[in-house]
Amino acid sequence: MTFVPVIPESYSHVLAEFDSLDPLFSALRLDSSRLKCTSIAVSRKWLALGSSGGGLNLIQKEGWKQRLFLSHKEGAISQIACCLHDDDYVAVATSQGIIVVWELNQERRGKPERIYVSSEHKGRKVTAICWDTAILRVFVGDHVGKVSAIKLNTSKQAKAAAAFVMFPVQTVTTIDSCIVQLDYLDGRLLVSSLTRSFLCDTEREKFWKIGNKERDGEYGACFFPGRCSGGQQPLIYCARPGSRMWEVNFDGEVLSTHQFKKLLSSPPLPVINLRSEPQYDQTVGSSQSLSFPKLLHLSEHCVLTWTERGIYIFIPQNVQVLLWSEIKNIQDVAVCKNELFCLHLNGKVSHLSLLSVERCVEHLLRRGLWNLAARTCCLFQNSVIASRARKSLTIDKLEHLKSQLDPSSCSDLISQLEELILKFEPLDSACSSRRSSISSHESFSILDSGIYRIISSRRGSQSDEDSCSLQSQTLSEDERLKEFTSHQDEDQPEQCCGSHGNEVTFEADKNESFLPFGIPLSFRSPSPLVSLQAVKESVSSFVRKTTEKIGTLHTSPDLKVRPEPRDDEQSCEEDMSPVTCPKEEDTVGKKELTSQLPKQDWFQELKVATTEAMTMLQDPLVLFEPKSLRMVLQEWLLQLEKTLAMKDFSGISDTSNSSVKSDQDVVLLDESIKGILDDDSEKEKRDSLDNEETVAQAEHESVDSLREPSDDIFQVCSPCVIANGLRKDLAELTTLCLELNVLNSKIKCTNGHLDHALQQCCPEILACQFLKKYFFLLDLKRAKESIKLSYASSPCVWDTFIEGLKEMASSNPTYVAMEEGDLPTRLKLLDDSVPFDSPLLIAYATRLYEKFGESALRSLIRFYPSILPSDIIQLCHNHPAQFLAYLDSLVKSRPEDQRPSFLESLLQPESLRLDWLHLAVSHGAPPSTSTVDNEGYPRPHSHLLSWAYSQLILHLIKLPADFTTKEKMTDICRSCGY
């Protein structure tokens, strides 16, 4: 991979295409050669698409749902205008020159109805149409220069009670040439023709010519609204020949002429899309002398236009080209806020967004598009380095992005990204000195003024000594990054620390949000509430001594027993005891001494067994011999069961959802400590018995746990602190046990035979129990794939796995927030808050499916490949027809020429071809009397009937396959009459 060229610093924005509208057009049948899109308009709520067949399709932008179809027998739709101040009205012009105004009746949930039909321009070509910004009035212009106004009744109540009053059409003016563009703002109508622009005061019926010089050709004009807060008057911009614009005041006087000819000699910026990598040619071209056929106000301070070559966005008040990009064959463009909908000459529509570079990269990161995000960062690195981008694109995010790239195929990109990260330094020495004093564990943001804002325990502190206390030593990097992204500096925590020796209570911050991607960390620290309270009590010296002691625990208010301190903490603990609770010094000391040695022995046996198992797995004679491999895993699983077989083990996970963290935070509660002590004391007693009794007792406990599973309890959190190295090996072995179906240890009774109850447990029950018991140790991504492969016919195992994911995600604020809102709102929340590579994504998707059914499945195509068709099959195993709806939408989301190859890539294993074909021909099929004759054979041309998934069936049939598979496919089609 070659190095990515660098785009000049002046370009801070980019056009991005994240969503394809091809599935929508396929559903509307607008992708055929017979029917195509001829006009387009957009409002806050609707995307309006006019067709060559006279149909008007109104699509709700949020979720692309609630489609309304309005038919017109007066010809193809040539112009559409949505009322911007009332989404319930839309006006269209047909190819015959008929104007039809519709009231959609969405508020009353009634049927849309025509409220006005005008023949004022019949037989003429309507070239422009726009709405009044205050009242229900439509302005229409045609190719001979006539401009008319249609006024509508503004009282819906009067209309409902009596006959609707139709006002006569008013002729506003007639100009000597074709109307190119109409625009309206605050009582003024702006008319642009082939020769000049006019300004009309519709209240006083006065007209002004704008400028003295005429022109010849299609040149647009638009209003540029002023800022109400500053009392700024609106402006007008009129296109002129030679890439020029007139800046005109609201009274029609030309203020200045802006020349963009030389500025447009710069190379075009790439459009960021998911189909191809962005390319940038640094070669400076010649000046462009262009004519702008239309001008559109975009966003807050931009004006947009286009030619046959591309799209151009200007900041006219600064005489600046924000960007221009090559997008050819554009017929028309509709804009709303920062969204662009481009209608091409072939009838296709592309959906673009004008975004700052940092917002674009953040969107790519949330979707898990690592390569594209990295290339975008390198292309626009001058903009990324700028201070305004550092507030959102931090070094931590760029480091995480770099870690996601494949070193073998992206080595150049990685090295270029590393250079970019190194450039994230302040611009002056003073800032550099300040930056060097910031701890590497602290997060920071840069304000627009250049001031560095440190996010750590320093907030709210009163002295340098206090500011370096608890938070700077114990607040984990994970929590600081969460704090940075969610801007929780204003949150006011409750007081949770008593005085005069009272115990300290730690609570999880319920307002804590989550990063848009996960960063694995080696430790977990207490809530920021602790630090603030410590500062208020001015006990920073006490906090520093106890920081590392309590830094790895989330404790309950009545916790008395603490974990074993490290060697360098012993003196801190001795100094701390008389300060915290002098009266209980002896008691607490005794409990700590009794808990340290047993806990070390408790883990030591598991560590030894894990090390031995990992070593034996390196032996090819074991690794490639399934019987030997299973034996090693069974012996290790026996040791794991013995280690975790505590008296109160099941009570550990039986906690409120607020104490369960979705990133598998380490939790230690009173019950676990007591369970360890009880287990250790029982172990000492058992040591006095002979080996036969010990084995019998272990077997009895294990079998009892299988006979009486805690069906409603998942062990989603570790019962105690586990070192990273050991946790990694435990996860590897536990997941391997699930993959190889080693779900219980090999325990024999005293007579040498397995317990009958254990033998009678079916694999599905064992798998469910295994998942619940060891969920906190599993590699969730591998576990999901293993369940789909090994238990495809056992939905209970999949359901158990999903319940565990839900339990793990239940404390996430996103999970709670998704309880409310409609499907588009929840999808947007999921898209913005949950990383695409998160194993919990399928749990959120399951909740959406349980709430919204098939419509949710169709929406999940946006999360491919994080959510695969094999996941959807498991998700809707009780309703296979709904899987077909998902698969059909997923295939149609790809360009038409790529659909066969894409579908073929999904057919893994190959047997899925037959299963999917059988589903497609057996669901949504025409009546059997129409497809099959009396002898059971397909009727001639039955495949031409209305099959719900005809395109999917054709794709499956046309894919290459061996002769045997083709025969089976023929039999399937014949049996269903296809």
Side-chain angles (χ1 to χ4, degrees):
M1 179 179 292
T2 58
F3 274 86
V4 180
V6 179
I7 294 175
E9 182 177 0
S10 56
Y11 294 104
S12 59
H13 286 70
V14 67
L15 288 176
E17 183 180 8
F18 297 119
D19 302 309
S20 172
L21 296 182
D22 289 343
L24 175 63
F25 273 59
S26 297
L28 299 177
R29 301 292 188 267
L30 291 178
D31 56 350
S32 63
S33 57
R34 184 180 63 85
L35 200 64
K36 73 172 188 176
C37 184
T38 56
S39 55
I40 188 172
V42 66
S43 67
R44 293 169 299 179
K45 181 177 181 180
W46 300 107
L47 171 63
L49 304 172
S51 71
S52 56
L56 175 63
N57 296 277
L58 289 170
I59 314 298
Q60 189 169 332
K61 286 167 57 181
E62 288 193 9
W64 310 110
K65 67 172 188 177
Q66 196 175 342
R67 170 195 167 202
L68 295 177
F69 180 78
L70 310 177
S71 60
H72 302 79
K73 297 180 181 180
E74 296 85 357
I77 306 299
S78 60
Q79 296 286 333
I80 311 173
C82 297
C83 183
L84 298 181
H85 60 86
D86 193 336
D87 287 321
D88 212 31
Y89 294 91
V90 61
V92 300
T94 70
S95 57
Q96 298 178 10
I98 304 299
I99 308 299
V100 182
V101 182
W102 289 86
E103 183 178 358
L104 304 181
N105 291 322
Q106 292 297 295
E107 295 179 0
R108 300 196 299 270
R109 299 183 178 273
K111 292 183 179 180
E113 57 182 323
R114 297 185 178 199
I115 59 173
Y116 205 106
V117 178
S118 170
S119 302
E120 185 73 15
H121 300 268
K122 185 176 181 179
R124 301 175 182 177
K125 181 182 178 181
V126 176
T127 56
I129 185 170
C130 76
W131 282 85
D132 192 307
T133 56
I135 63 175
L136 293 179
R137 180 168 52 175
V138 182
F139 297 95
V140 182
D142 60 29
H143 76 287
V144 299
K146 183 177 182 178
V147 180
S148 66
I150 302 173
K151 186 176 181 181
L152 307 174
N153 190 353
T154 59
S155 174
K156 295 184 180 181
Q157 292 80 7
K159 173 182 175 297
F164 187 72
V165 178
M166 296 185 68
F167 295 97
V169 176
Q170 176 188 3
T171 300
V172 178
T173 185
T174 299
I175 303 174
D176 58 356
S177 60
C178 173
I179 303 300
V180 176
Q181 187 175 359
L182 296 176
D183 199 7
Y184 189 90
L185 181 67
D186 295 344
R188 303 286 174 93
L189 177 66
L190 180 62
V191 181
S192 181
S193 69
L194 295 177
T195 57
R196 63 170 66 248
S197 295
F198 300 86
L199 186 62
C200 171
D201 187 331
T202 57
E203 301 299 329
R204 295 182 294 175
E205 298 184 356
K206 291 186 178 181
F207 293 85
W208 299 272
K209 292 180 181 179
I210 297 179
N212 297 319
K213 296 181 180 179
E214 293 189 353
R215 66 206 180 189
D216 185 15
E218 293 188 357
Y219 295 92
C222 72
F223 285 108
F224 193 87
R227 297 181 181 179
C228 298
S229 59
Q232 182 180 352
Q233 283 291 322
L235 295 174
I236 300 171
Y237 287 99
C238 302
R240 297 291 300 168
S243 302
R244 291 178 298 161
M245 284 187 200
W246 274 346
E247 183 174 306
V248 184
N249 64 19
F250 207 51
D251 294 325
E253 300 174 353
V254 178
L255 302 178
S256 60
T257 302
H258 300 322
Q259 176 62 263
F260 297 98
K261 185 175 180 180
K262 294 182 179 179
L263 295 176
L264 291 175
S265 62
S266 58
L269 294 187
V271 177
I272 307 299
N273 58 59
L274 312 184
R275 298 187 299 271
S276 60
E277 294 181 346
Q279 303 293 332
Y280 179 71
D281 186 1
Q282 294 178 303
T283 305
V284 178
S286 58
S287 302
Q288 298 187 58
S289 180
L290 305 173
S291 59
F292 305 137
K294 284 187 180 181
L295 298 181
L296 301 176
H297 178 248
L298 176 68
S299 188
E300 182 180 351
H301 51 268
C302 300
V303 169
L304 175 143
T305 187
W306 69 90
T307 66
E308 66 280 355
R309 185 178 179 186
I311 287 180
Y312 305 82
I313 300 177
F314 305 102
I315 305 178
Q317 290 180 300
N318 298 341
V319 195
Q320 178 184 351
V321 178
L322 183 67
L323 63 85
W324 81 274
S325 298
E326 280 191 343
I327 305 175
K328 298 183 178 180
N329 301 322
I330 295 179
Q331 176 182 333
D332 198 5
V333 176
V335 300
C336 181
K337 295 183 180 179
N338 69 324
E339 290 184 294
L340 291 72
F341 294 87
C342 304
L343 174 62
H344 300 267
L345 294 176
N346 60 0
K348 300 289 185 180
V349 174
S350 55
H351 178 202
L352 306 176
S353 299
L354 176 63
L355 299 172
S356 62
V357 173
E358 55 267 27
R359 284 191 60 195
C360 178
V361 173
E362 283 187 313
H363 196 101
L364 296 173
L365 291 176
R366 286 196 298 268
R367 291 194 170 206
L369 301 171
W370 312 116
N371 284 8
L372 187 56
R375 289 188 65 86
T376 305
C377 282
C378 295
L379 271 172
F380 293 89
Q381 62 177 261
N382 287 322
S383 178
V384 171
I385 294 172
S387 61
R388 62 180 176 273
R390 293 195 213 176
K391 292 188 289 186
S392 54
L393 282 181
T394 61
I395 293 181
D396 306 288
K397 291 184 180 180
L398 294 180
E399 288 285 1
H400 178 74
L401 171 60
K402 186 184 73 172
S403 67
Q404 299 296 323
L405 300 177
D406 184 6
S408 60
S409 59
C410 305
S411 56
D412 291 342
L413 196 56
I414 292 175
S415 61
Q416 200 166 356
L417 199 58
E418 289 175 345
E419 294 178 2
L420 171 61
I421 295 174
L422 291 176
K423 294 178 182 179
F424 262 58
E425 291 295 334
L427 302 178
D428 56 69
S429 58
C431 290
S432 179
S433 174
R434 175 61 182 146
R435 173 68 179 90
S436 62
S437 67
I438 299 175
S439 170
S440 60
H441 291 288
E442 292 176 338
S443 298
F444 66 96
S445 63
I446 303 177
L447 304 180
D448 293 333
S449 60
I451 299 174
Y452 281 73
R453 183 171 67 113
I454 309 303
I455 302 176
S456 68
S457 63
R458 291 182 175 88
R459 60 174 184 172
S461 62
Q462 301 299 323
S463 66
D464 291 338
E465 182 182 11
D466 290 343
S467 68
C468 298
S469 60
L470 180 63
Q471 283 284 55
S472 61
Q473 300 180 39
T474 65
L475 183 58
S476 70
E477 187 172 345
D478 189 21
E479 284 182 298
R480 293 189 193 93
L481 292 175
K482 294 171 186 176
E483 192 177 29
F484 171 71
T485 56
S486 58
H487 303 290
Q488 293 190 3
D489 298 84
E490 297 82 4
D491 292 348
Q492 298 297 329
E494 299 178 359
Q495 294 186 0
C496 3
C497 180
S499 58
H500 302 292
N502 292 340
E503 295 172 358
V504 180
T505 302
F506 301 110
E507 296 180 0
D509 190 351
K510 296 181 180 179
N511 293 324
E512 189 177 36
S513 64
F514 291 81
L515 274 176
F517 49 82
I519 299 179
L521 298 173
S522 59
F523 63 93
R524 177 72 178 176
S525 65
S527 169
L529 304 177
V530 181
S531 174
L532 294 174
Q533 185 60 34
V535 171
K536 291 178 182 179
E537 295 293 334
S538 301
V539 291
S540 57
S541 59
F542 156 70
V543 172
R544 283 196 299 272
K545 293 177 181 179
T546 58
T547 291
E548 295 182 1
K549 178 71 178 176
I550 63 174
T552 56
L553 300 179
H554 279 299
T555 63
S556 62
D558 55 349
L559 180 61
K560 298 296 192 302
V561 184
R562 294 176 171 80
E564 177 186 3
R566 298 192 297 269
D567 293 338
D568 58 350
E569 295 173 340
Q570 193 68 36
S571 60
C572 295
E573 182 182 356
E574 292 172 357
D575 294 339
M576 177 269 297
S577 298
V579 177
T580 54
C581 191
K583 297 181 180 180
E584 298 181 1
E585 177 181 3
D586 297 336
T587 304
V588 174
K590 290 179 181 180
K591 288 186 177 181
E592 289 177 351
L593 292 176
T594 56
S595 64
Q596 291 169 8
L597 294 177
K599 179 184 174 183
Q600 184 177 3
D601 296 337
W602 178 61
F603 262 115
Q604 190 62 32
E605 294 182 9
L606 180 60
K607 289 180 180 178
V608 172
T610 302
T611 303
E612 291 178 356
M614 294 297 292
T615 303
M616 295 182 70
L617 291 181
Q618 306 300 321
D619 186 355
L621 297 178
V622 174
L623 187 61
F624 297 106
E625 177 58 41
K627 185 176 180 180
S628 301
L629 181 58
R630 285 188 171 89
M631 188 177 299
V632 171
L633 292 175
Q634 282 179 333
E635 292 177 356
W636 172 82
L637 189 58
L638 172 61
Q639 183 59 50
L640 180 65
E641 288 179 349
K642 289 171 59 180
T643 303
L644 300 181
M646 298 181 295
K647 178 179 179 181
D648 294 327
F649 181 73
S650 61
I652 297 174
S653 63
D654 191 15
T655 59
S656 62
N657 289 339
S658 62
S659 65
V660 181
K661 297 296 180 183
S662 61
D663 55 353
Q664 301 186 51
D665 292 339
V666 178
V667 178
L668 185 57
L669 303 176
D670 256 353
E671 290 84 355
S672 64
I673 295 294
K674 295 176 182 177
I676 295 173
L677 296 177
D678 294 342
D679 184 66
D680 291 334
S681 62
E682 290 175 6
K683 182 179 177 182
E684 292 177 358
K685 295 178 181 179
R686 288 199 301 270
D687 289 340
S688 63
L689 303 177
D690 53 42
N691 291 336
E692 291 183 1
E693 292 176 346
T694 304
V695 173
Q697 182 177 357
E699 174 211 354
H700 180 71
E701 292 176 355
S702 178
V703 174
D704 285 345
S705 66
L706 290 177
R707 287 173 175 170
E708 300 177 359
S710 299
D711 293 334
D712 57 341
I713 296 176
F714 276 90
Q715 188 64 33
V716 296
C717 299
S718 174
C720 58
V721 180
I722 302 178
N724 281 348
L726 178 59
R727 175 182 285 274
K728 182 179 179 181
D729 291 341
L730 291 176
E732 176 67 29
L733 293 173
T734 307
T735 308
L736 197 58
C737 286
L738 179 64
E739 293 171 337
L740 296 179
N741 202 25
V742 181
L743 304 178
N744 59 281
S745 59
K746 190 175 182 180
I747 307 173
K748 292 186 178 181
C749 297
T750 53
N751 57 3
H753 299 285
L754 285 172
D755 189 289
H756 291 291
L758 194 60
Q759 287 179 329
Q760 293 175 358
C761 285
C762 63
E764 293 81 4
I765 295 178
L766 289 175
C768 293
Q769 294 171 352
F770 185 89
L771 287 174
K772 292 181 178 181
K773 193 172 183 180
Y774 303 115
F775 201 86
F776 70 101
L777 289 177
L778 289 172
D779 182 328
L780 297 179
K781 292 184 178 180
R782 283 174 55 188
K784 184 181 73 170
E785 297 304 318
S786 174
I787 291 171
K788 290 189 295 184
L789 185 63
S790 303
Y791 301 97
S793 58
S794 303
C796 63
V797 182
W798 173 266
D799 293 340
T800 302
F801 178 71
I802 294 298
E803 287 302 317
L805 292 178
K806 289 181 179 179
E807 181 73 15
M808 181 176 291
S810 59
S811 65
N812 193 317
T814 302
Y815 190 89
V816 178
M818 287 185 65
E819 292 286 348
E820 301 177 354
D822 56 4
L823 179 59
T825 302
R826 301 189 192 194
L827 283 171
K828 186 178 186 304
L829 179 63
L830 182 59
D831 195 18
D832 294 341
S833 305
V834 181
F836 268 45
D837 58 346
S838 170
L840 301 180
L841 187 61
I842 188 64
Y844 291 96
T846 303
R847 292 194 63 203
L848 291 178
Y849 172 67
E850 291 170 352
K851 178 68 176 178
F852 298 100
E854 182 179 319
S855 58
L857 287 186
R858 291 182 181 272
S859 302
L860 293 180
I861 63 173
R862 69 173 65 186
F863 298 108
Y864 177 87
S866 299
I867 297 180
L868 297 169
S870 55
D871 300 327
I872 302 299
I873 291 178
Q874 297 292 332
L875 197 62
C876 58
H877 53 79
N878 292 327
H879 305 282
Q882 295 180 351
F883 166 73
L884 279 177
Y886 165 83
L887 181 62
D888 189 56
S889 299
L890 180 63
V891 174
K892 288 180 179 178
S893 67
R894 295 300 186 271
E896 195 167 355
D897 57 334
Q898 299 178 13
R899 291 174 187 176
S901 58
F902 175 68
L903 180 60
E904 189 174 13
S905 68
L906 299 178
L907 295 173
Q908 301 295 334
E910 186 68 21
S911 59
L912 289 178
R913 183 196 304 257
L914 300 177
D915 298 336
W916 291 1
L917 179 61
H918 186 268
L919 281 175
V921 296
S922 58
H923 291 83
S928 58
T929 55
S930 303
T931 59
V932 181
D933 58 20
N934 295 332
E935 297 180 359
Y937 292 99
R939 294 184 182 274
H941 307 295
S942 62
H943 65 285
L944 299 178
L945 297 176
S946 178
W947 297 77
Y949 302 102
S950 57
Q951 293 187 25
L952 181 61
I953 295 172
L954 288 175
H955 285 314
L956 289 170
I957 292 176
K958 291 180 180 180
L959 289 178
D962 56 73
F963 181 75
T964 304
T965 303
K966 286 291 186 181
E967 279 190 331
K968 294 179 180 179
M969 294 172 66
T970 303
D971 293 339
I972 291 174
C973 292
R974 184 185 297 114
S975 65
C976 295
Y978 184 83

